[in-house]
Amino acid sequence: MIKKPELLAPAGNLEKMKMAVLYGADAVYLGGKAFGLRAFGGNFTYEELKEAVEFAHARGKKVYVTVNIFPHNSDMEKLPDYLRYLQEINVDALLVADLGVFMLCRKLIPDMELHISTQANNTNWATVNAWKELGAKRVVLAREMSLKEIREIREKCDVDLEMFMHGAMCISYSGRCLLSNYFTGRDSNRGSCAQSCRWKYALVEETRPGKYFPIEEDDRGTYIMNSKDMCLMPHIKDVIESGVDSLKIEGRMKSVHYAASVTKAYRLAIDSYFADPENFTVKKEWMDELEKVSHRAYTTGFYYHQPDADDQIYGKTSYDQTSDFVGLVRSYDAATGYAVVEQRNNMKVGQEIEVFQPTGPLYRLKITSMIDNETNEEISVAPHPQQIIRMKMEQPVEEYTILRRDVAAK
């Protein structure tokens, strides 16, 4: 019998973490202000880390903290106190990539569950078993692996396995990149990647400085290292039946809208499979949900074939999305039918919006009235960032519900 895998969602800050939990994640992974590989993702102060753990544990969810940089000597001084703090606040596991950090954790906080980050390039069963023998509870598989390889590792390894199933793909091997270091001095392996692979490039001949020659694979453009995003939703049955223990969504630097929408889409898909495996099909509305958030064109990565030209985006570096996040419901008064909403994008009376709830049904409504919460006056438009308004709702609505409009309806 196939074990139901954990759904693991990204959390770049406290608000994203709460949204991921409320929209269906079994666990979240996040980073502190240091020692993780997303230095520009917002990240968590000591106090926020504690609050995140308490919020998750109160709802039966888990929190994994990234400590997966490749540290230099200067990074090691403050690391022991940080590790002890993570144990003190009852973090569920740490994600590490460096052997020295792993052994330091084993010495200082021996009871802490340790997961081996994808940054450690875990691509074969021998490596996975070696980490288990050293004391790892889980190994995160590299994204450069096929379904066939993953199944073989599952057969030969008695340790928890985690794999990415959705999100950005790195042009370099599991993130082991020096482009950012070379161009900007920002060390991608210590959390400061400048995403140089997403830039537009041209060729300069040494004796003719300033004269740029375009680089073109064909007539589509010059973003020669710009990979499509991974999306395994259409193949979620194969993913589940591969036997991995945790299915991971990439995206700690993505939006609140992304954290909620992608998490809920995969939550519904996983639950639907286990409700009736024999008759399971991927529903159109789940794929539509993944189109609504900001993303690049989708690919299956290495899962079924070696990536080729069709897995790159040559003509642009921008993102696509079909919906804009315009408001977040803070509370709802059933007696009056009004919700208190925090504006996140321009909203106005007469606009048709979609009501996307953590657990309740998705529905559409037309904004018929808005009241400024501070002045108590009727308004026709809410243009100010994070303006608090009251809005009449046609149906009850949950706290933390996302309000969004079609991009075409701007």
Side-chain angles (χ1 to χ4, degrees), residues 63-110:
V63 175
Y64 309 144
V65 175
T66 59
V67 191
N68 58 345
I69 66 167
F70 288 97
H72 289 230
N73 292 336
S74 59
D75 297 308
M76 300 303 292
E77 182 180 349
K78 296 180 180 179
L79 184 56
D81 286 344
Y82 181 62
L83 296 176
R84 294 187 186 99
Y85 178 76
L86 295 177
Q87 182 178 55
E88 180 184 320
I89 62 172
N90 296 316
V91 165
D92 295 284
L94 304 186
L95 277 151
V96 301
D98 179 77
L99 181 59
V101 173
F102 180 89
M103 298 310 292
L104 185 62
C105 291
R106 296 281 291 156
K107 178 181 178 181
L108 296 179
I109 47 173

Side-chain angles (χ1 to χ4, degrees), residues 68 95-97 116-122 140-144 164 174 248:
N68 58 345
L95 277 151
V96 301
I116 307 306
S117 169
T118 188
Q119 293 294 121
N121 307 134
N122 307 300
V140 186
L141 299 175
R143 272 168 276 200
E144 299 80 12
F164 283 92
S174 287
K248 189 171 194 172

Side-chain angles (χ1 to χ4, degrees), residues 51-66:
E51 183 177 347
V53 172
E54 291 172 349
F55 184 91
H57 286 181
R59 290 157 180 82
K61 313 295 184 178
K62 294 183 177 181
V63 175
Y64 309 144
V65 175
T66 59

Side-chain angles (χ1 to χ4, degrees), residues 163-314:
M163 63 166 279
F164 283 92
M165 64 173 175
H166 191 94
M169 294 288 288
C170 182
I171 195 69
S172 294
Y173 209 89
S174 287
R176 301 289 288 271
C177 179
L178 290 174
L179 281 177
S180 178
N181 304 52
Y182 180 75
F183 286 126
T184 70
R186 285 165 42 176
D187 191 340
S188 54
N189 297 306
R190 296 166 81 188
S192 300
C193 180
Q195 297 200 18
S196 307
C197 56
R198 309 296 180 186
W199 299 353
K200 186 175 183 178
Y201 287 91
L203 181 68
V204 178
E205 201 278 321
E206 183 179 9
T207 63
R208 286 179 278 184
K211 185 172 179 58
Y212 296 95
F213 300 91
I215 301 173
E216 296 189 3
E217 296 266 345
D218 52 27
D219 60 0
R220 287 176 291 184
T222 59
Y223 295 92
I224 57 174
M225 294 182 283
N226 191 32
S227 173
K228 292 180 179 179
D229 286 353
M230 174 188 282
C231 175
L232 294 181
M233 175 65 84
H235 311 281
I236 191 67
K237 186 175 186 291
D238 283 352
V239 173
I240 292 170
E241 292 177 357
S242 70
V244 296
D245 300 274
S246 182
L247 303 180
K248 189 171 194 172
I249 299 166
E250 184 276 339
R252 280 191 285 151
M253 295 178 69
K254 299 286 183 67
S255 67
V256 167
H257 185 198
Y258 177 97
S261 297
V262 176
T263 299
K264 186 171 183 181
Y266 281 101
R267 174 80 282 151
L268 292 172
I270 293 168
D271 290 349
S272 178
Y273 172 88
F274 282 92
D276 189 3
E278 297 299 320
N279 297 301
F280 174 79
T281 57
V282 175
K283 294 182 179 179
K284 181 179 181 298
E285 54 260 39
W286 304 336
M287 289 303 303
D288 289 345
E289 197 59 49
L290 300 180
E291 294 292 336
K292 289 175 182 178
V293 299
S294 179
H295 67 284
R296 302 178 188 91
Y298 288 131
T299 175
T300 57
F302 291 78
Y303 208 61
Y304 293 104
H305 67 274
Q306 284 290 316
D308 55 27
D310 290 334
D311 296 293
Q312 303 295 113
I313 309 171
Y314 301 102

Side-chain angles (χ1 to χ4, degrees), residues 124-143:
N124 63 80
W125 57 264
T127 296
V128 172
N129 279 331
W131 280 116
K132 183 198 172 183
E133 289 176 16
L134 287 172
K137 176 67 168 57
R138 176 183 295 181
V139 176
V140 186
L141 299 175
R143 272 168 276 200

